[in-house]
Amino acid sequence: ALGYKKGKNFQYEYQSAQGNPALAVQIAQKFVSEDADVIVAIGTTAAQAAATAAKETKTPIVFSSVTDPVGAKLVSNLKAPEGHVTG
């Protein structure tokens, strides 16, 4: 409806760390180094890795499937996430 066409003006890449924190960091760093427009992280480990990797660049991070984003130190306020991390 918004005109996005996969492969023409929109692309995505899916990577899975399969629960491996070290691999999650490598994947997040790869996305940041490729200057991704946004990183969507599923799960706490992936979200923490992405937020850390993108800290200096301010690449937007959108997380999902994170039980306690405040406890995971992704955001300090659920109602008004600050910075470049939200979910």
Side-chain angles (χ1 to χ4, degrees):
L2 296 175
Y4 295 110
K5 303 286 184 211
K6 183 179 173 190
K8 294 197 185 267
N9 60 0
F10 170 77
Q11 65 182 12
Y12 70 92
E13 182 177 337
Y14 173 82
Q15 295 280 320
S16 174
Q18 307 221 352
N20 181 325
L23 186 54
V25 169
Q26 289 177 347
I27 291 168
Q29 290 171 337
K30 174 183 175 282
F31 287 147
V32 169
S33 72
E34 292 175 348
D35 200 26
D37 291 325
V38 64
I39 298 173
V40 178
I42 302 172
T44 304
T45 301
Q48 289 171 322
T52 299
K55 187 174 185 178
E56 298 299 319
T57 66
K58 302 298 184 194
T59 300
I61 309 297
V62 178
F63 62 81
S64 66
S65 299
V66 176
T67 305
D68 184 6
V70 175
K73 298 188 182 344
L74 293 168
V75 296
S76 61
N77 182 333
L78 290 176
K79 293 187 185 227
E82 66 289 329
H84 64 109
V85 181
T86 192

